[in-house]
Amino acid sequence: MLPMSLDQYQVLTSMLAPALLMAATGSLLISANARLARVVDRLRAVMAEWQDADEAQRAELEAEIRSQRTRSGFNLRACLMLYLALAAFVATSIALAIDAFTNFALGPLPTITALVGTGCLLMASIYLALEVRMAIRGLDAEISMQMRQRPSGPKPGARA
């Protein structure tokens, strides 16, 4: 039985905050998984280039392969943190309902699970920021490599 001062609408209202955090976490998971898929695709493309490259190109491509592997590691850690955050927010929502039905017998448990979820979101955000930074560095390196391979003479059809 619910305490007199707490009805089912108050319980449902208190469960909305974790639900909103679950939705936000889900959106971040979709983004992180899409980024991971792009990293995997890029890694496969670089590996194909590596097989046909000469020794000088292989050294540059091996550096990019190492970078892509690090990026995928950041993405995997971010996904893990996001899944843990999602689980913590689900646990928070359930704990809030159970706490209301047991006359607040769980004490600070709902708050602790919410803090764990928020901490996991913070860690995931840090990992995703590190991955984005590596992506930009990789893009800069790729542009530099392409510019070095480009012939420096006049373009065909250009007037002298």
Side-chain angles (χ1 to χ4, degrees), residues 9-27:
Y9 300 108
Q10 288 174 314
V11 173
L12 290 174
T13 301
S14 69
M15 293 173 69
L16 282 179
L20 292 173
L21 290 168
M22 284 182 245
T25 303
S27 295

Side-chain angles (χ1 to χ4, degrees), residues 23-38 79 82-83:
T25 303
S27 295
L28 278 173
L29 264 169
I30 290 168
S31 173
N33 282 322
R35 292 192 65 78
L36 182 59
R38 286 196 300 269
C79 286
L82 289 169
Y83 282 117

